[in-house]
Amino acid sequence: MKKKNQRKSMSIVKRIMLLVILLLIIVSCKKSTDTSLKTINYKTDPLPSWNEGKTKKAILDFVTKVTDPDNPNFVRVEDRIATFDNDGNLWSEKPFYFQLAFALDRIHATASDHPEWKTTQPYKAAIEGNIKEVLTYGKHGLLKLVMASHTGMTTDEFNNIVTEWLATSKHPRFNRPYHTLIYQPMLELLDYLQTNDFKTFIVSGGGIDFLRVWAEEAYGIPEYQIVGSSLKTIFEYNNGKAVIKKLSEIDFINDKAGKPVGIHKHISKKPIFASGNSDGDLQMLQYAASNDKPSFMIYLHHTDAEREWAYDRESHVGRLDKGLDEAREKGWTVIDMKNDWKVVYPFQLQK
């Protein structure tokens, strides 16, 4: 009788153990299936925020052929250079360039130290918040504002000021920090290229020091892969402290014809992939097109007034006129923001 009860107890234990093992197998299979599905989705659709169509297909086809060793268009890893404009291409640029918003805020913050600004343009217009008036002074006026707000300090001091501004300032339309208004589809494109051994660079008309503060965290592009406009600097060594100080003199304007020059200076190789959104990027795309290797030129056309903005030929910021004509004439790829993108900003993924 005792042995019979023992056998019965063992039988119950075995059943319990079998049930536990079965549950573990089911859970394990479910986890494995979930992971597998995620992997499959990523591999089959590395650009999930892009709608299916000729733009997405053109990108995928180009990357596939230049990374396939058996394809006659194969490009070696060391030559897979991709350059991206920033303003209006990786993040928004309306109602005016975000770095200008930073400069205007700095003018306000330091106006008490410069009483002469109250009667001198364009500082007077900046202090009064008259942006239309500020823009009438053109590049020369904007440079004055940049000089006044970006210089007379060390690079470390400047970095701290930019970091604080990004943490406290909000975009007037979206009421969100400026550095959250980056484009989700372009983040995916950068990641896709990086996964396929492209070295990605920002080549911007914006200030190189301004970009270096936040771009690596936003885009996964390190500081030394940023090419931008710059002011002259000097090295100072006082009481054992080494600093770089920003001066009120232009060093280099990385815009239009300056972009290929900047690429040559900092990268020393022609890009095989170049992405921009305005006539200021046209020469960069022309430079990529002159490559003796397969190359891909792509323009972002702002066509979505509801989710972002719609503008091109008549815009004072990010004008796309000659570039759009040349893209159509030469068969370059043009992103139609409204039709090619499922979402614009990362925060829209949460909805």
Side-chain angles (χ1 to χ4, degrees):
M1 187 73 177
K2 189 176 180 181
K3 287 184 179 179
K4 187 177 180 181
N5 288 336
Q6 285 178 339
R7 284 197 298 270
K8 189 175 180 181
S9 297
M10 288 294 292
S11 176
I12 292 171
V13 170
K14 284 181 179 179
R15 287 176 186 175
I16 292 171
M17 289 180 68
L18 283 170
L19 282 171
V20 170
I21 291 169
L22 184 60
L23 284 170
L24 287 171
I25 290 171
I26 291 171
V27 170
S28 174
C29 288
K30 188 177 186 305
K31 284 183 179 179
S32 175
T33 303
D34 289 344
T35 304
S36 175
L37 283 172
K38 286 178 182 177
T39 304
I40 290 171
N41 284 340
Y42 177 76
K43 286 183 177 179
T44 56
D45 191 4
L47 302 176
S49 294
W50 295 67
N51 288 317
E52 299 301 325
K54 62 180 183 180
T55 301
K56 181 174 180 177
K57 184 177 185 303
I59 294 169
L60 297 175
D61 287 349
F62 175 77
V63 173
T64 298
K65 75 179 183 181
V66 298
T67 57
D68 179 4
D70 297 325
N71 192 296
N73 293 296
F74 174 73
V75 176
R76 300 177 308 165
V77 170
E78 53 266 38
D79 293 323
R80 293 178 202 166
I81 304 297
T83 57
F84 286 78
D85 172 54
N86 182 58
D87 294 307
N89 191 54
L90 293 179
W91 73 348
S92 288
E93 60 183 356
K94 291 283 188 174
F96 47 85
Y97 298 121
F98 294 175
Q99 191 172 353
L100 175 58
F102 166 74
L104 293 173
D105 285 350
R106 287 296 300 156
I107 294 295
H108 275 278
T110 58
S112 59
D113 298 327
H114 300 274
E116 72 279 7
W117 286 355
K118 292 182 180 180
T119 56
T120 307
Q121 296 290 13
Y123 310 104
K124 181 176 182 292
I127 293 170
E128 294 171 351
N130 190 341
I131 306 304
K132 286 186 178 179
E133 178 73 14
V134 169
L135 295 176
T136 63
Y137 292 94
K139 288 185 178 179
H140 182 68
L142 297 180
L143 281 174
K144 281 187 174 182
L145 297 177
V146 169
M147 296 288 192
S149 59
H150 288 53
T151 61
M153 66 191 82
T154 67
T155 51
D156 289 338
E157 290 168 341
F158 180 76
N159 292 350
N160 291 335
I161 291 169
V162 174
T163 299
E164 183 180 354
W165 180 79
L166 288 170
T168 57
S169 299
K170 300 287 183 68
H171 189 275
R173 173 181 170 184
F174 294 100
N175 195 33
R176 288 178 173 272
Y178 284 92
H179 59 294
T180 66
L181 299 179
I182 54 181
Y183 300 138
Q184 175 63 29
M186 297 305 272
L187 293 177
E188 294 169 3
L189 177 55
L190 287 170
D191 184 63
Y192 177 52
L193 293 173
Q194 291 161 1
T195 300
N196 282 278
D197 296 317
F198 277 77
K199 185 167 281 190
T200 52
F201 291 82
I202 294 175
V203 180
S204 173
I208 190 169
D209 289 335
F210 181 81
L211 282 161
R212 283 174 172 172
V213 175
W214 57 272
E216 182 167 4
E217 183 178 348
Y219 305 131
I221 296 177
E223 297 174 16
Y224 54 84
Q225 287 173 212
I226 295 174
V227 182
S229 299
S230 57
L231 300 172
K232 288 185 178 179
T233 55
I234 58 169
F235 172 76
E236 290 185 352
Y237 189 76
N238 295 319
N239 299 319
K241 187 176 182 180
V243 298
I244 302 295
K245 193 169 183 180
K246 297 169 71 66
L247 302 178
S248 298
E249 295 180 59
I250 295 291
D251 178 40
F252 181 68
I253 300 296
N254 190 63
D255 193 35
K256 297 183 178 178
K259 290 201 171 187
V261 174
I263 291 169
H264 173 72
K265 274 185 174 184
H266 294 273
I267 305 173
S268 78
K269 285 190 175 185
K270 290 183 180 181
I272 67 166
F273 191 107
S275 173
N277 74 290
S278 73
D279 285 355
D281 304 311
L282 177 57
Q283 289 84 351
M284 177 174 72
L285 272 64
Q286 290 171 334
Y287 192 51
S290 71
N291 206 320
D292 59 2
K293 300 173 179 60
S295 56
F296 191 88
M297 288 61 63
I298 186 166
Y299 258 124
L300 171 55
H301 190 190
H302 293 261
T303 57
D304 198 328
E306 183 178 344
R307 295 184 299 176
E308 205 237 15
W309 284 272
Y311 60 97
D312 44 46
R313 299 182 190 274
E314 302 302 322
S315 178
H316 293 293
V317 176
R319 182 194 299 266
L320 180 59
D321 183 22
K322 294 179 180 178
L324 190 59
D325 290 338
E326 187 152 345
R328 289 170 175 169
E329 177 189 333
K330 295 186 175 178
W332 298 346
T333 298
V334 177
I335 302 166
D336 182 329
M337 181 184 281
K338 184 176 181 179
N339 295 313
D340 285 329
W341 287 0
K342 295 177 183 177
V343 298
V344 176
Y345 303 115
F347 61 80
Q348 293 170 337
L349 293 172
Q350 301 169 6
K351 295 183 179 181

